[in-house]
Amino acid sequence: MIKNYFKIAWRNLVNNKVYSAINILGLAGGMAVALLIALWVNNEYSYDKFLPNYGQLYQVWRNFNSNGETLTFSSTSLKLADALRNNFPEIEYAAETDGNGSHGLMVGEKKFYLNGSQVGSDFLKMFQYPMLQGNMKDALKDPYSIVLTKATAIALFGSVNVINKTVRIDNKNDLKVTGVLDDLPGNSSLQFKYLIPFAYMEATQAYVKQARSESFGANAFLIYVKLKSGVPYSQLAPKIKNMEKGENNINAKNSEVILHPMRDWHLYNSWKNGVASGGFIEYVRIFSIIGVLVLLIACINFINLTTARSEKRAREVGIRKAIGSQRKQLIFQFLTESTIITFIAFLFSLLFVQIALTPFNALTGTTIGIPVQSAPFWLITISCVLFTALIAGSKPAFYLSSFNPVKVLKGTIQLGRSASYSRKILVVTQFSCSIALIIGTIVIYRQIQYAKNRPSGYDINRLLTTSSNSDLGKNYQALKDELLQSGAVQSITQASSPATDIYLHNNIDQWPGKFGGETIEMGVVYITGDYFKTLGMQVKQGREYTGIAADTLNLVFNESAIKRLRLKEPLSQPIQYNGNKMKIIGVMKDALMTSPFAKADPTMFVYSTYPQDNLIYRLAPNVNPHSAIEKISSIFAKYNPAYPFTYKFVDDDYNQKFSQEVLIGKLSGVFAALAICISCLGLFGLAAYIAEQRTKEIGVRKVLGATVSQLWFLLSKDFVMLVIISCIIASPIAHYLLQNWLQKYDYRITIGPGVFLVSAFVAIIITLLTISFQAVKAAIANPVKSLRSE
């Protein structure tokens, strides 16, 4: 019996090649999209799960009460690290770190400038990355040691067998290699090329050692902790929450200590009211829904085409019932057919995914592959295929098996009409989904362009940044003079942050009009001479720094900071900062140094006579950038021989701020295009079927004088009307969802009617192009052939 079902299913598949191909390609496309999205979603959820006990790992954060508004910061103090390590038995390990900075590593003539971290001695006990050489328990004990990743070891030494060899760091000290880690996978939240003991930082930088004895308010470091096995965070949370409040320090008194679990670092990185409430998880959910919708669209195609062609199978059903077939047997037969088609489609979908993986990985920056050796993958995938077969085949199976054999064999049943309403509902459903995706793609693109066209407040073109170091710091004036004399550089300055970010935030102690107990925390950038000139920032009031010694007691704010301080006449107003009495000499126009989608960060620019971590310089006008870089490189090599010359164009860094939105926009566009293609594939099949059903009607109309255009309109109008209804349904739903998405941006577009009109126009044009082939083909056919049988 089952063998017979398979034979019948295969014969029907072969005898209806066009419709079978449409069904298979439609399902294959939907399944490929769903599978690709599922692989991507799984990759996003897999972050850090390769680490043992990753569920017990946390980062320490602070919730800061700024006049009723809760601001959340990752910066913490060394005093807090010691307190957590020594006073709470629930914590097994605690490790402080400087974050992720760049240092010059040199072995012989090989010089690299790489990102790495300076971490506490328990770091590798907490984060047990696979170790190829050395012992993680004592690899970071010696202050003058270094742990390399495999790629770094090979780059420096040509081998991973490098234990006890030395690496010179920052042209200052030699560090002994005590371990080699395997290269970190792409789904690791922490990324570094090497690790240096935090004790080295304390041994070589006096302020770091001093920071351990300072207050909880000296927040300049990151802290990671590992809770003991079986200890939930809820048990520790109330104990650490108020541990800083006992100090007579505004920053500490207004801070609450919280822990952010490692399992949430990647997906929940957006904070609201002191809670990690969103982030990249929003996009993961959106695309999960898109994957389901595209697969649903493909299933609707299958259902529509199968039920539309039900008349072809009606007599078969009638005869089978007449000779004794039970309904459940017919249902099983039709489900067998849908299962065969679905499995064939699944094989094609695997091929499509394999072809798409290379460009998809390039687009998303991932290394996703089909896990062919994973038993859980095949178990889940095959289950989903069977479920898809059930969804796609259930309505046709129950519908076809319900025919009354007497009516069918007498020819009195109107099969096509009985299913027309349900077909129309399904077409409207799938096109509503497709049109909503088109609207979403347009809105995301417009939001990105809107932010890109927003004035940045400074000139990002021909502006470069290079990380500084001790050699460049002591030779800065000579370097600056020679760069300017070369004609390649128009202006150069130093700052504590690059032009596209603000690394430091701090409190203002006192200012005119301060309320009792009020605190204001804002961005702080330490700068040297020519900073505003180099960046091209504009003065709104007063003046910028002139480089005189007295400027160390003067302050310059941006417009947003002045608004935050509520100063109507800011010039010459007294400000107390870091215990120093200072005054305001200038107000700069706002510049977008952080997010281009948000309001400008309130920022204070503090003049410094000390070297800073970032060199910012502008290429001279009308100088070829390639030639200028060659000149600049040779000058840097003269004053910085132990380091390779590295640089970043500021406009590249600025454009990187749009990377997440651009990625989401591209993915939305691709999946919207695939959804509309799959929908149109089903529409093409339906149009072919309806044209076939109405062949004789078209022949009669042609004989009576109907034109090709009239017949085209006759066959097209019903489909166009269904698409118009889909637009009416999709528009308010898409508007609601997209309006909620836009709320997270301070600087955002408004969604006008034009978006929906354009989407509707595109959908109607695509629909007409899809069905016109079949409509025109039927309209120009010779009526003699269609009427001959009459």
Side-chain angles (χ1 to χ4, degrees), residues 621-635:
N622 303 320
V623 173
N624 180 275
H626 181 72
S627 301
I629 294 298
E630 287 185 348
K631 284 185 181 180
I632 294 168
S633 177
S634 62
I635 296 171

Side-chain angles (χ1 to χ4, degrees), residues 50-53 57 92-93 122-131 136 181 184 226 262:
F50 63 92
L51 287 170
N53 301 312
L57 296 170
E92 184 175 7
Y93 297 117
D122 288 335
F123 182 86
L124 288 177
K125 299 175 187 176
M126 300 164 57
F127 301 94
Q128 297 177 22
Y129 297 103
M131 206 159 197
M136 67 177 60
L181 299 173
L184 304 183
K226 179 180 181 294
M262 190 179 204

Side-chain angles (χ1 to χ4, degrees), residues 118-311:
Q118 301 183 77
V119 297
S121 59
D122 288 335
F123 182 86
L124 288 177
K125 299 175 187 176
M126 300 164 57
F127 301 94
Q128 297 177 22
Y129 297 103
M131 206 159 197
L132 305 178
Q133 298 282 324
N135 186 336
M136 67 177 60
K137 292 183 179 180
D138 54 20
L140 295 170
K141 279 189 175 180
D142 182 358
Y144 288 85
S145 62
I146 186 170
V147 175
L148 308 174
T149 62
K150 178 181 176 181
T152 306
I154 292 174
L156 289 170
F157 297 99
S159 169
V160 295
N161 298 313
V162 294
I163 298 297
N164 294 325
K165 293 185 179 181
T166 58
V167 176
R168 190 158 185 82
I169 184 169
D170 293 338
N171 201 27
K172 287 182 178 179
N173 298 295
D174 291 330
L175 304 181
K176 182 174 67 174
V177 179
T178 54
V180 178
L181 299 173
D182 200 358
D183 291 332
L184 304 183
N187 60 348
S188 173
S189 295
L190 301 180
Q191 294 288 336
F192 49 83
K193 299 296 184 182
Y194 55 88
L195 296 173
I196 303 169
F198 197 83
Y200 171 79
M201 195 176 182
E202 293 183 278
T204 57
Q205 300 181 47
Y207 85 92
V208 179
K209 189 172 183 178
Q210 180 184 353
R212 286 204 182 273
S213 59
E214 292 182 351
S215 73
F216 286 124
N219 299 304
F221 305 94
L222 305 180
I223 302 173
Y224 301 110
V225 298
K226 179 180 181 294
L227 303 189
K228 289 181 178 178
S229 180
V231 175
Y233 170 48
S234 58
Q235 179 179 326
L236 180 64
K239 298 181 180 180
I240 64 173
K241 180 179 180 180
N242 298 317
M243 59 185 296
E244 292 189 352
K245 293 185 179 295
E247 279 196 357
N248 188 24
N249 175 285
I250 292 178
N251 205 329
K253 286 170 67 175
N254 287 275
S255 292
E256 292 182 348
V257 179
I258 59 173
L259 300 184
H260 188 36
M262 190 179 204
R263 63 176 179 271
D264 292 342
W265 290 359
H266 177 63
L267 295 177
Y268 295 88
N269 51 12
S270 177
W271 296 82
K272 185 176 182 180
N273 296 324
V275 178
S277 56
F280 202 69
I281 184 64
E282 297 167 8
Y283 296 112
V284 171
R285 289 170 179 164
I286 288 171
F287 284 107
S288 298
I289 294 171
I290 289 174
V292 173
L293 289 179
V294 174
L295 183 58
L296 178 63
I297 289 170
C299 291
I300 288 174
N301 279 352
F302 183 93
I303 294 169
N304 270 345
L305 288 175
T306 306
T307 54
R309 294 183 59 79
S310 58
E311 188 173 349

